[in-house]
Amino acid sequence: MRVFNFNGGPAALPTPVLERVAAETLDWNGTGMSIMENSHRAKEVVAMAEETQADLLELLGLGADWKVLFCQGGASLQFAMIPLNFAQGAECDYLDTGLWSTKAYQEAQICGAKPHIAASSKGDDFTYIPSEFNYSKAPKYVYFTSNNTVRGTQWPTFPKKAPAPLISDMSSEFLSRPLDLTDFVLIHAGAQKNVGPAGLTIVLIKPEWANTGAKGLPHLLDYRTYIEHDSMFNTPPVFAIYVAGLVFKWLKNDIGGLGNIQKLNAAKAKALYEAIDQSGGFYQGTARKDSRSPMNVTFRLVNADLDKPFLEEAKKAGMVGLNGHRSVGGMRASLYNAVDMAAVKTLIDFMAEFQKKRG
Amino acid sequence: MRVFNFNGGPAALPTPVLERVAAETLDWNGTGMSIMENSHRAKEVVAMAEETQADLLELLGLGADWKVLFCQGGASLQFAMIPLNFAQGAECDYLDTGLWSTKAYQEAQICGAKPHIAASSKGDDFTYIPSEFNYSKAPKYVYFTSNNTVRGTQWPTFPKKAPAPLISDMSSEFLSRPLDLTDFVLIHAGAQKNVGPAGLTIVLIKPEWANTGAKGLPHLLDYRTYIEHDSMFNTPPVFAIYVAGLVFKWLKNDIGGLGNIQKLNAAKAKALYEAIDQSGGFYQGTARKDSRSPMNVTFRLVNADLDKPFLEEAKKAGMVGLNGHRSVGGMRASLYNAVDMAAVKTLIDFMAEFQKKRG
């Protein structure tokens, strides 16, 4: 029996995608081998990887001035690669909205850059997205986390008139809505939210920006290596790319694109936030309303003693992954693309029932 | 229909492992979710990862002075991490036996080390394993590739009395035989040969050696990060770890350990090399006999014009992956653990038949 999966990441994947993965595990694409057993240089695999890149660009409405890279090492390796390539010891601005942007900032320090915090919501426990900025004079780039999984906040609009190109970690909202990337030169996203299995990091980069990067870096830390070899300098994580490709097809063909998934995601979030707001304080949202994330709905129960029974009874009712991030506690319902309205309605009904019993 | 898969890597996986992966794709371990959808911090996943580490140490007969790390980025990232951590700008010795050790050497140069080639078979086209060494005075470590996938050579015995601890890329022989790691401090192996899907790099390291590493490196380039967080500093490639775990169980329970797999591998290699040697020159092994790899059997046909028909007819007969590495051409039959004697016999029969028709 499949459960309703509200995990923050790794997270729910579309059931039809998993059904296809299962069906093809011993024989992919008529090759008589699993996708895991095929050479990454076999023409069928290269074609699959190229189609996956093309589908992603099509979903995002991006042209040939962008390149899709298949990297490894998660956001944590991007936190190092970005300053190593593009700060080159100089100033770069970070917008501080929680755990992950803090880690990115700290890694920039380790990597010899001079990161500057140009905005922060730390004073108010990262419960909102800042609207005032104190940029440094000539930063190499402006970095931010577009959706904060831990605190359940999301940038409603991206920073305007920043003094340098934007770079963003979009892991936990990637492919949940159309994106205007006009002011961006690089975004990265760990696959394990809306894309596929952990172990793949999607990087979208403008090659002309990549060319401004530091020279003499280790090969796998230089974005040009991935661009020049179309992400096949060495063996890429083929299975994860394959699953990502199926998810992109599902978004294109079954869902109908990012405009449609945005509507579905907005409806799910609206329903759950309304249930929280209309609970008379039994459930309390933790993010400021104007900064709420449609992807990660964070809330607390009126009494923390109820956390354990809430999670246990939810599990009995077929819902998992509702615990908040280990660094903050409370509750979090992650409503990624593969979590459908039926799951959200089940949660809302359960919450009402739980409140009736314990409220 | 499953084919006989002689790919050099990504390569064949045991069919029973793939059958189990397929069966569990939608519901792993009674969680109601795919292993890909489970949180890496869920207790079931942490237990699976720990069991996978324990099984690997047991297979190799290693104790608590060794630690199993789950890394990403393949051998190519190890090529950088090793000198960054352990050469620290000083001398280190490389034994040059082919494409991959050359890449490791070059990456050490990029990483600010002073690598020195202490032995090389380059002059004879990397067709053998050197037995004479010209070590530098006080190298930090001695690095070599224990099995050379491209040229089909393998170290029959590891270097003795080296002036520093040994470090080795064992990707294409890892788990094919028992190993005496007495003189080693670190070995690494890409999963995509004998372990599991690409996107996972197994590192075995002595923690006391890791502690001698450079300080101030980016987190994901510092081995201590993986040791301290038991490879969960950030989200690891969970699916690949899970498949590796199933392969380790298969080796332990179905095969009966590394002593047994070594015998099976030796018998396969013996049969194929004999068929080559007894073909009267129609098939010619490319590696020197004393350096032949049991994992990658490289050979040429008497006339290169026959390469194409050989590969095409082999494919029609259900055998794939017999082409040599793109850098050298010719033929290569990789006989990894999951390639059984039935596959090898089918190949030998085909080769005899082909020679009869074309010889």
Side-chain angles (χ1 to χ4, degrees), chain A residues 1-3 7 13 26 32 37 41 72-73 107 218-220 234 326, chain B residues 1-3 7 13 26 32 37 41 72-73 107 218-220 234 326:
Chain A
M1 240 254 326
R2 299 269 292 165
V3 294
N7 272 328
L13 290 168
L26 278 98
E37 301 175 297
R41 305 209 184 272
Q72 298 182 58
E107 200 75 22
H219 277 94
L220 284 197
N234 64 343
R326 61 206 166 106
Chain B
M1 241 256 324
R2 299 268 294 165
V3 294
N7 272 327
L13 290 168
L26 278 97
E37 302 176 296
R41 305 209 184 272
Q72 299 181 57
E107 201 75 23
H219 277 94
L220 284 198
N234 64 343
R326 63 207 166 105

PDB file of all heavy atoms in Angstrom, chain A residues 1-3 7 13 26 32 37 41 72-73 107 218-220 234 326, chain B residues 1-3 7 13 26 32 37 41 72-73 107 218-220 234 326:
ATOM      1  N   MET A   1       0.847  -1.215   0.000  1.00  0.00           N
ATOM      2  CA  MET A   1       0.000   0.000   0.000  1.00  0.00           C
ATOM      3  C   MET A   1       0.875   1.256   0.000  1.00  0.00           C
ATOM      4  O   MET A   1       1.777   1.382   0.810  1.00  0.00           O
ATOM      5  CB  MET A   1      -0.878   0.000   1.269  1.00  0.00           C
ATOM      6  CG  MET A   1      -2.365   0.009   0.991  1.00  0.00           C
ATOM      7  SD  MET A   1      -3.179   1.601   1.302  1.00  0.00           S
ATOM      8  CE  MET A   1      -2.324   2.340   2.684  1.00  0.00           C
ATOM      9  N   ARG A   2       0.593   2.175  -0.908  1.00  0.00           N
ATOM     10  CA  ARG A   2       1.330   3.434  -0.954  1.00  0.00           C
ATOM     11  C   ARG A   2       0.784   4.381   0.113  1.00  0.00           C
ATOM     12  O   ARG A   2      -0.422   4.485   0.305  1.00  0.00           O
ATOM     13  CB  ARG A   2       1.163   4.074  -2.343  1.00  0.00           C
ATOM     14  CG  ARG A   2       1.713   3.214  -3.480  1.00  0.00           C
ATOM     15  CD  ARG A   2       3.146   3.515  -3.801  1.00  0.00           C
ATOM     16  NE  ARG A   2       3.286   4.843  -4.381  1.00  0.00           N
ATOM     17  CZ  ARG A   2       4.452   5.474  -4.485  1.00  0.00           C
ATOM     18  NH1 ARG A   2       5.554   4.895  -4.037  1.00  0.00           N
ATOM     19  NH2 ARG A   2       4.515   6.659  -5.034  1.00  0.00           N
ATOM     20  N   VAL A   3       1.694   5.070   0.787  1.00  0.00           N
ATOM     21  CA  VAL A   3       1.269   6.052   1.794  1.00  0.00           C
ATOM     22  C   VAL A   3       1.176   7.444   1.161  1.00  0.00           C
ATOM     23  O   VAL A   3       1.610   7.660   0.027  1.00  0.00           O
ATOM     24  CB  VAL A   3       2.280   6.098   2.970  1.00  0.00           C
ATOM     25  CG1 VAL A   3       2.278   4.783   3.732  1.00  0.00           C
ATOM     26  CG2 VAL A   3       3.678   6.452   2.481  1.00  0.00           C
ATOM     27  N   ASN A   7       7.182  14.004   2.875  1.00  0.00           N
ATOM     28  CA  ASN A   7       8.601  14.193   3.172  1.00  0.00           C
ATOM     29  C   ASN A   7       9.153  15.483   2.570  1.00  0.00           C
ATOM     30  O   ASN A   7       8.781  15.866   1.464  1.00  0.00           O
ATOM     31  CB  ASN A   7       9.417  13.027   2.607  1.00  0.00           C
ATOM     32  CG  ASN A   7       9.540  11.861   3.581  1.00  0.00           C
ATOM     33  OD1 ASN A   7       9.575  12.068   4.796  1.00  0.00           O
ATOM     34  ND2 ASN A   7       9.589  10.651   3.051  1.00  0.00           N
ATOM     35  N   LEU A  13       7.569  10.805  -5.447  1.00  0.00           N
ATOM     36  CA  LEU A  13       7.710  10.838  -6.906  1.00  0.00           C
ATOM     37  C   LEU A  13       6.377  10.412  -7.516  1.00  0.00           C
ATOM     38  O   LEU A  13       5.595   9.701  -6.873  1.00  0.00           O
ATOM     39  CB  LEU A  13       8.827   9.892  -7.351  1.00  0.00           C
ATOM     40  CG  LEU A  13      10.248  10.353  -6.988  1.00  0.00           C
ATOM     41  CD1 LEU A  13      11.265   9.235  -7.196  1.00  0.00           C
ATOM     42  CD2 LEU A  13      10.633  11.574  -7.834  1.00  0.00           C
ATOM     43  N   LEU A  26      14.569  -4.529 -15.606  1.00  0.00           N
ATOM     44  CA  LEU A  26      15.423  -5.590 -16.162  1.00  0.00           C
ATOM     45  C   LEU A  26      15.701  -5.419 -17.652  1.00  0.00           C
ATOM     46  O   LEU A  26      16.591  -6.081 -18.199  1.00  0.00           O
ATOM     47  CB  LEU A  26      14.814  -6.968 -15.893  1.00  0.00           C
ATOM     48  CG  LEU A  26      15.131  -7.465 -14.481  1.00  0.00           C
ATOM     49  CD1 LEU A  26      14.005  -7.202 -13.529  1.00  0.00           C
ATOM     50  CD2 LEU A  26      15.550  -8.906 -14.491  1.00  0.00           C
ATOM     51  N   GLY A  32      17.703  -5.033 -23.517  1.00  0.00           N
ATOM     52  CA  GLY A  32      17.998  -6.293 -22.840  1.00  0.00           C
ATOM     53  C   GLY A  32      18.813  -6.110 -21.571  1.00  0.00           C
ATOM     54  O   GLY A  32      19.344  -7.066 -21.008  1.00  0.00           O
ATOM     55  N   GLU A  37      22.691  -0.817 -16.297  1.00  0.00           N
ATOM     56  CA  GLU A  37      23.714  -1.695 -16.874  1.00  0.00           C
ATOM     57  C   GLU A  37      24.174  -1.222 -18.245  1.00  0.00           C
ATOM     58  O   GLU A  37      25.085  -1.822 -18.837  1.00  0.00           O
ATOM     59  CB  GLU A  37      23.155  -3.112 -17.022  1.00  0.00           C
ATOM     60  CG  GLU A  37      22.702  -3.740 -15.721  1.00  0.00           C
ATOM     61  CD  GLU A  37      22.054  -5.089 -15.952  1.00  0.00           C
ATOM     62  OE1 GLU A  37      21.004  -5.123 -16.630  1.00  0.00           O
ATOM     63  OE2 GLU A  37      22.586  -6.096 -15.486  1.00  0.00           O
ATOM     64  N   ARG A  41      27.875   5.800 -22.629  1.00  0.00           N
ATOM     65  CA  ARG A  41      28.219   6.282 -23.970  1.00  0.00           C
ATOM     66  C   ARG A  41      27.447   5.528 -25.059  1.00  0.00           C
ATOM     67  O   ARG A  41      27.651   5.778 -26.246  1.00  0.00           O
ATOM     68  CB  ARG A  41      29.721   6.175 -24.207  1.00  0.00           C
ATOM     69  CG  ARG A  41      30.528   6.901 -23.120  1.00  0.00           C
ATOM     70  CD  ARG A  41      31.856   7.437 -23.570  1.00  0.00           C
ATOM     71  NE  ARG A  41      32.580   8.012 -22.434  1.00  0.00           N
ATOM     72  CZ  ARG A  41      32.456   9.274 -22.019  1.00  0.00           C
ATOM     73  NH1 ARG A  41      31.653  10.110 -22.645  1.00  0.00           N
ATOM     74  NH2 ARG A  41      33.142   9.711 -20.983  1.00  0.00           N
ATOM     75  N   GLN A  72      26.851  16.179  -9.501  1.00  0.00           N
ATOM     76  CA  GLN A  72      26.686  15.366  -8.301  1.00  0.00           C
ATOM     77  C   GLN A  72      27.115  16.206  -7.091  1.00  0.00           C
ATOM     78  O   GLN A  72      27.623  17.299  -7.233  1.00  0.00           O
ATOM     79  CB  GLN A  72      27.549  14.095  -8.399  1.00  0.00           C
ATOM     80  CG  GLN A  72      27.165  13.175  -9.553  1.00  0.00           C
ATOM     81  CD  GLN A  72      28.011  11.907  -9.599  1.00  0.00           C
ATOM     82  OE1 GLN A  72      28.053  11.145  -8.650  1.00  0.00           O
ATOM     83  NE2 GLN A  72      28.689  11.681 -10.704  1.00  0.00           N
ATOM     84  N   GLY A  73      26.871  15.669  -5.910  1.00  0.00           N
ATOM     85  CA  GLY A  73      27.346  16.344  -4.698  1.00  0.00           C
ATOM     86  C   GLY A  73      26.324  17.262  -4.051  1.00  0.00           C
ATOM     87  O   GLY A  73      26.599  17.846  -3.001  1.00  0.00           O
ATOM     88  N   GLU A 107      30.301  28.413   3.302  1.00  0.00           N
ATOM     89  CA  GLU A 107      31.175  27.697   2.375  1.00  0.00           C
ATOM     90  C   GLU A 107      31.940  28.698   1.495  1.00  0.00           C
ATOM     91  O   GLU A 107      33.105  28.462   1.151  1.00  0.00           O
ATOM     92  CB  GLU A 107      30.341  26.742   1.515  1.00  0.00           C
ATOM     93  CG  GLU A 107      31.137  25.626   0.874  1.00  0.00           C
ATOM     94  CD  GLU A 107      31.545  24.493   1.847  1.00  0.00           C
ATOM     95  OE1 GLU A 107      30.910  24.313   2.891  1.00  0.00           O
ATOM     96  OE2 GLU A 107      32.532  23.800   1.532  1.00  0.00           O
ATOM     97  N   PRO A 218      40.187  22.048 -10.107  1.00  0.00           N
ATOM     98  CA  PRO A 218      40.018  20.613 -10.410  1.00  0.00           C
ATOM     99  C   PRO A 218      38.878  20.447 -11.428  1.00  0.00           C
ATOM    100  O   PRO A 218      37.895  21.203 -11.396  1.00  0.00           O
ATOM    101  CB  PRO A 218      39.637  20.015  -9.047  1.00  0.00           C
ATOM    102  CG  PRO A 218      40.272  20.925  -8.045  1.00  0.00           C
ATOM    103  CD  PRO A 218      40.190  22.303  -8.659  1.00  0.00           C
ATOM    104  N   HIS A 219      39.017  19.463 -12.303  1.00  0.00           N
ATOM    105  CA  HIS A 219      38.061  19.334 -13.406  1.00  0.00           C
ATOM    106  C   HIS A 219      36.599  19.331 -12.958  1.00  0.00           C
ATOM    107  O   HIS A 219      35.764  20.007 -13.545  1.00  0.00           O
ATOM    108  CB  HIS A 219      38.347  18.052 -14.198  1.00  0.00           C
ATOM    109  CG  HIS A 219      39.433  18.229 -15.202  1.00  0.00           C
ATOM    110  ND1 HIS A 219      40.754  17.932 -14.942  1.00  0.00           N
ATOM    111  CD2 HIS A 219      39.394  18.689 -16.479  1.00  0.00           C
ATOM    112  CE1 HIS A 219      41.478  18.203 -16.010  1.00  0.00           C
ATOM    113  NE2 HIS A 219      40.692  18.658 -16.953  1.00  0.00           N
ATOM    114  N   LEU A 220      36.304  18.541 -11.922  1.00  0.00           N
ATOM    115  CA  LEU A 220      34.897  18.394 -11.547  1.00  0.00           C
ATOM    116  C   LEU A 220      34.361  19.595 -10.776  1.00  0.00           C
ATOM    117  O   LEU A 220      33.185  19.640 -10.447  1.00  0.00           O
ATOM    118  CB  LEU A 220      34.671  17.107 -10.755  1.00  0.00           C
ATOM    119  CG  LEU A 220      34.653  15.818 -11.576  1.00  0.00           C
ATOM    120  CD1 LEU A 220      34.017  14.690 -10.779  1.00  0.00           C
ATOM    121  CD2 LEU A 220      33.919  15.977 -12.901  1.00  0.00           C
ATOM    122  N   ASN A 234      33.023  12.330 -17.044  1.00  0.00           N
ATOM    123  CA  ASN A 234      33.130  10.967 -16.493  1.00  0.00           C
ATOM    124  C   ASN A 234      31.723  10.400 -16.390  1.00  0.00           C
ATOM    125  O   ASN A 234      30.756  11.014 -16.847  1.00  0.00           O
ATOM    126  CB  ASN A 234      33.888  10.961 -15.155  1.00  0.00           C
ATOM    127  CG  ASN A 234      33.168  11.735 -14.070  1.00  0.00           C
ATOM    128  OD1 ASN A 234      32.274  12.534 -14.353  1.00  0.00           O
ATOM    129  ND2 ASN A 234      33.543  11.501 -12.837  1.00  0.00           N
ATOM    130  N   ARG A 326      14.710  18.663  11.539  1.00  0.00           N
ATOM    131  CA  ARG A 326      15.272  18.365  12.867  1.00  0.00           C
ATOM    132  C   ARG A 326      15.849  19.595  13.556  1.00  0.00           C
ATOM    133  O   ARG A 326      16.002  19.624  14.770  1.00  0.00           O
ATOM    134  CB  ARG A 326      16.316  17.251  12.757  1.00  0.00           C
ATOM    135  CG  ARG A 326      17.494  17.601  11.877  1.00  0.00           C
ATOM    136  CD  ARG A 326      18.165  16.371  11.264  1.00  0.00           C
ATOM    137  NE  ARG A 326      19.059  16.801  10.203  1.00  0.00           N
ATOM    138  CZ  ARG A 326      20.383  16.831  10.284  1.00  0.00           C
ATOM    139  NH1 ARG A 326      20.996  16.403  11.367  1.00  0.00           N
ATOM    140  NH2 ARG A 326      21.111  17.259   9.287  1.00  0.00           N
TER     141      ARG A 326
ATOM    142  N   MET B   1      13.853  -9.825 -23.130  1.00  0.00           N
ATOM    143  CA  MET B   1      14.966 -10.791 -23.107  1.00  0.00           C
ATOM    144  C   MET B   1      16.249 -10.112 -22.623  1.00  0.00           C
ATOM    145  O   MET B   1      16.624  -9.076 -23.138  1.00  0.00           O
ATOM    146  CB  MET B   1      15.189 -11.331 -24.532  1.00  0.00           C
ATOM    147  CG  MET B   1      15.003 -12.809 -24.682  1.00  0.00           C
ATOM    148  SD  MET B   1      16.580 -13.732 -24.804  1.00  0.00           S
ATOM    149  CE  MET B   1      17.692 -12.685 -25.725  1.00  0.00           C
ATOM    150  N   ARG B   2      16.907 -10.710 -21.640  1.00  0.00           N
ATOM    151  CA  ARG B   2      18.167 -10.172 -21.140  1.00  0.00           C
ATOM    152  C   ARG B   2      19.292 -10.588 -22.086  1.00  0.00           C
ATOM    153  O   ARG B   2      19.346 -11.727 -22.548  1.00  0.00           O
ATOM    154  CB  ARG B   2      18.446 -10.723 -19.739  1.00  0.00           C
ATOM    155  CG  ARG B   2      17.379 -10.335 -18.720  1.00  0.00           C
ATOM    156  CD  ARG B   2      17.684  -9.069 -17.981  1.00  0.00           C
ATOM    157  NE  ARG B   2      18.858  -9.222 -17.121  1.00  0.00           N
ATOM    158  CZ  ARG B   2      19.507  -8.192 -16.592  1.00  0.00           C
ATOM    159  NH1 ARG B   2      19.125  -6.954 -16.858  1.00  0.00           N
ATOM    160  NH2 ARG B   2      20.543  -8.392 -15.811  1.00  0.00           N
ATOM    161  N   VAL B   3      20.204  -9.655 -22.336  1.00  0.00           N
ATOM    162  CA  VAL B   3      21.357  -9.967 -23.181  1.00  0.00           C
ATOM    163  C   VAL B   3      22.544 -10.390 -22.303  1.00  0.00           C
ATOM    164  O   VAL B   3      22.526 -10.241 -21.082  1.00  0.00           O
ATOM    165  CB  VAL B   3      21.775  -8.741 -24.032  1.00  0.00           C
ATOM    166  CG1 VAL B   3      20.678  -8.403 -25.041  1.00  0.00           C
ATOM    167  CG2 VAL B   3      22.108  -7.552 -23.157  1.00  0.00           C
ATOM    168  N   ASN B   7      29.759  -5.082 -20.993  1.00  0.00           N
ATOM    169  CA  ASN B   7      30.128  -3.674 -20.883  1.00  0.00           C
ATOM    170  C   ASN B   7      31.261  -3.451 -19.887  1.00  0.00           C
ATOM    171  O   ASN B   7      31.335  -4.108 -18.850  1.00  0.00           O
ATOM    172  CB  ASN B   7      28.918  -2.856 -20.403  1.00  0.00           C
ATOM    173  CG  ASN B   7      28.054  -2.373 -21.545  1.00  0.00           C
ATOM    174  OD1 ASN B   7      28.558  -2.083 -22.632  1.00  0.00           O
ATOM    175  ND2 ASN B   7      26.755  -2.289 -21.316  1.00  0.00           N
ATOM    176  N   LEU B  13      24.661  -6.132 -13.730  1.00  0.00           N
ATOM    177  CA  LEU B  13      24.344  -6.333 -12.314  1.00  0.00           C
ATOM    178  C   LEU B  13      23.679  -7.699 -12.168  1.00  0.00           C
ATOM    179  O   LEU B  13      23.086  -8.205 -13.129  1.00  0.00           O
ATOM    180  CB  LEU B  13      23.405  -5.221 -11.823  1.00  0.00           C
ATOM    181  CG  LEU B  13      24.045  -3.838 -11.715  1.00  0.00           C
ATOM    182  CD1 LEU B  13      22.999  -2.755 -11.504  1.00  0.00           C
ATOM    183  CD2 LEU B  13      25.053  -3.814 -10.561  1.00  0.00           C
ATOM    184  N   LEU B  26       7.879   0.418  -5.808  1.00  0.00           N
ATOM    185  CA  LEU B  26       6.788   1.260  -5.302  1.00  0.00           C
ATOM    186  C   LEU B  26       6.602   1.176  -3.792  1.00  0.00           C
ATOM    187  O   LEU B  26       5.901   2.009  -3.206  1.00  0.00           O
ATOM    188  CB  LEU B  26       5.471   0.933  -6.011  1.00  0.00           C
ATOM    189  CG  LEU B  26       5.361   1.626  -7.369  1.00  0.00           C
ATOM    190  CD1 LEU B  26       5.771   0.713  -8.491  1.00  0.00           C
ATOM    191  CD2 LEU B  26       3.997   2.216  -7.590  1.00  0.00           C
ATOM    192  N   GLY B  32       5.685   1.788   2.320  1.00  0.00           N
ATOM    193  CA  GLY B  32       4.656   2.394   1.476  1.00  0.00           C
ATOM    194  C   GLY B  32       5.217   3.422   0.519  1.00  0.00           C
ATOM    195  O   GLY B  32       4.469   4.195  -0.086  1.00  0.00           O
ATOM    196  N   GLU B  37      11.923   7.616  -2.341  1.00  0.00           N
ATOM    197  CA  GLU B  37      11.012   8.600  -1.739  1.00  0.00           C
ATOM    198  C   GLU B  37      11.166   8.675  -0.226  1.00  0.00           C
ATOM    199  O   GLU B  37      10.513   9.490   0.421  1.00  0.00           O
ATOM    200  CB  GLU B  37       9.560   8.222  -2.054  1.00  0.00           C
ATOM    201  CG  GLU B  37       9.250   8.137  -3.528  1.00  0.00           C
ATOM    202  CD  GLU B  37       7.829   7.657  -3.761  1.00  0.00           C
ATOM    203  OE1 GLU B  37       7.530   6.500  -3.395  1.00  0.00           O
ATOM    204  OE2 GLU B  37       7.011   8.423  -4.299  1.00  0.00           O
ATOM    205  N   ARG B  41      17.153  10.361   6.385  1.00  0.00           N
ATOM    206  CA  ARG B  41      17.304  10.333   7.843  1.00  0.00           C
ATOM    207  C   ARG B  41      16.255   9.436   8.512  1.00  0.00           C
ATOM    208  O   ARG B  41      16.231   9.324   9.740  1.00  0.00           O
ATOM    209  CB  ARG B  41      17.252  11.752   8.405  1.00  0.00           C
ATOM    210  CG  ARG B  41      18.286  12.678   7.739  1.00  0.00           C
ATOM    211  CD  ARG B  41      18.789  13.788   8.608  1.00  0.00           C
ATOM    212  NE  ARG B  41      19.677  14.660   7.853  1.00  0.00           N
ATOM    213  CZ  ARG B  41      20.996  14.464   7.727  1.00  0.00           C
ATOM    214  NH1 ARG B  41      21.583  13.437   8.303  1.00  0.00           N
ATOM    215  NH2 ARG B  41      21.725  15.317   7.008  1.00  0.00           N
ATOM    216  N   GLN B  72      30.339  10.879  -3.961  1.00  0.00           N
ATOM    217  CA  GLN B  72      29.842  11.091  -5.308  1.00  0.00           C
ATOM    218  C   GLN B  72      30.979  11.655  -6.158  1.00  0.00           C
ATOM    219  O   GLN B  72      32.035  11.971  -5.657  1.00  0.00           O
ATOM    220  CB  GLN B  72      28.655  12.062  -5.291  1.00  0.00           C
ATOM    221  CG  GLN B  72      27.462  11.570  -4.491  1.00  0.00           C
ATOM    222  CD  GLN B  72      26.288  12.552  -4.530  1.00  0.00           C
ATOM    223  OE1 GLN B  72      25.797  12.912  -5.577  1.00  0.00           O
ATOM    224  NE2 GLN B  72      25.843  12.976  -3.356  1.00  0.00           N
ATOM    225  N   GLY B  73      30.729  11.762  -7.458  1.00  0.00           N
ATOM    226  CA  GLY B  73      31.706  12.402  -8.337  1.00  0.00           C
ATOM    227  C   GLY B  73      32.681  11.433  -8.990  1.00  0.00           C
ATOM    228  O   GLY B  73      33.533  11.854  -9.772  1.00  0.00           O
ATOM    229  N   GLU B 107      45.567  15.413 -12.485  1.00  0.00           N
ATOM    230  CA  GLU B 107      44.721  16.146 -11.547  1.00  0.00           C
ATOM    231  C   GLU B 107      45.535  16.551 -10.311  1.00  0.00           C
ATOM    232  O   GLU B 107      45.315  17.628  -9.759  1.00  0.00           O
ATOM    233  CB  GLU B 107      43.517  15.288 -11.156  1.00  0.00           C
ATOM    234  CG  GLU B 107      42.333  16.070 -10.619  1.00  0.00           C
ATOM    235  CD  GLU B 107      41.535  16.830 -11.679  1.00  0.00           C
ATOM    236  OE1 GLU B 107      41.585  16.466 -12.860  1.00  0.00           O
ATOM    237  OE2 GLU B 107      40.861  17.818 -11.303  1.00  0.00           O
ATOM    238  N   PRO B 218      36.882  22.838   1.186  1.00  0.00           N
ATOM    239  CA  PRO B 218      35.416  22.790   1.119  1.00  0.00           C
ATOM    240  C   PRO B 218      34.915  21.486   1.758  1.00  0.00           C
ATOM    241  O   PRO B 218      35.576  20.448   1.654  1.00  0.00           O
ATOM    242  CB  PRO B 218      35.133  22.811  -0.388  1.00  0.00           C
ATOM    243  CG  PRO B 218      36.317  23.514  -0.984  1.00  0.00           C
ATOM    244  CD  PRO B 218      37.492  23.125  -0.120  1.00  0.00           C
ATOM    245  N   HIS B 219      33.768  21.563   2.412  1.00  0.00           N
ATOM    246  CA  HIS B 219      33.295  20.411   3.189  1.00  0.00           C
ATOM    247  C   HIS B 219      33.296  19.103   2.407  1.00  0.00           C
ATOM    248  O   HIS B 219      33.731  18.072   2.901  1.00  0.00           O
ATOM    249  CB  HIS B 219      31.887  20.688   3.721  1.00  0.00           C
ATOM    250  CG  HIS B 219      31.885  21.485   4.974  1.00  0.00           C
ATOM    251  ND1 HIS B 219      31.762  22.858   4.988  1.00  0.00           N
ATOM    252  CD2 HIS B 219      32.006  21.112   6.273  1.00  0.00           C
ATOM    253  CE1 HIS B 219      31.799  23.299   6.238  1.00  0.00           C
ATOM    254  NE2 HIS B 219      31.945  22.260   7.038  1.00  0.00           N
ATOM    255  N   LEU B 220      32.764  19.148   1.174  1.00  0.00           N
ATOM    256  CA  LEU B 220      32.602  17.896   0.436  1.00  0.00           C
ATOM    257  C   LEU B 220      33.902  17.385  -0.162  1.00  0.00           C
ATOM    258  O   LEU B 220      33.931  16.315  -0.760  1.00  0.00           O
ATOM    259  CB  LEU B 220      31.533  18.036  -0.652  1.00  0.00           C
ATOM    260  CG  LEU B 220      30.086  18.014  -0.167  1.00  0.00           C
ATOM    261  CD1 LEU B 220      29.140  17.717  -1.311  1.00  0.00           C
ATOM    262  CD2 LEU B 220      29.860  16.999   0.941  1.00  0.00           C
ATOM    263  N   ASN B 234      25.231  15.685   3.825  1.00  0.00           N
ATOM    264  CA  ASN B 234      24.060  16.088   3.031  1.00  0.00           C
ATOM    265  C   ASN B 234      23.435  14.815   2.457  1.00  0.00           C
ATOM    266  O   ASN B 234      23.840  13.709   2.799  1.00  0.00           O
ATOM    267  CB  ASN B 234      24.444  17.119   1.957  1.00  0.00           C
ATOM    268  CG  ASN B 234      25.397  16.568   0.917  1.00  0.00           C
ATOM    269  OD1 ASN B 234      26.038  15.533   1.140  1.00  0.00           O
ATOM    270  ND2 ASN B 234      25.498  17.248  -0.196  1.00  0.00           N
ATOM    271  N   ARG B 326      36.986   3.479 -26.280  1.00  0.00           N
ATOM    272  CA  ARG B 326      37.067   4.363 -27.459  1.00  0.00           C
ATOM    273  C   ARG B 326      38.470   4.917 -27.687  1.00  0.00           C
ATOM    274  O   ARG B 326      38.795   5.332 -28.792  1.00  0.00           O
ATOM    275  CB  ARG B 326      36.023   5.488 -27.346  1.00  0.00           C
ATOM    276  CG  ARG B 326      36.243   6.403 -26.159  1.00  0.00           C
ATOM    277  CD  ARG B 326      34.944   7.055 -25.659  1.00  0.00           C
ATOM    278  NE  ARG B 326      35.179   7.638 -24.350  1.00  0.00           N
ATOM    279  CZ  ARG B 326      35.310   8.944 -24.113  1.00  0.00           C
ATOM    280  NH1 ARG B 326      35.176   9.818 -25.077  1.00  0.00           N
ATOM    281  NH2 ARG B 326      35.565   9.377 -22.895  1.00  0.00           N
TER     282      ARG B 326
END
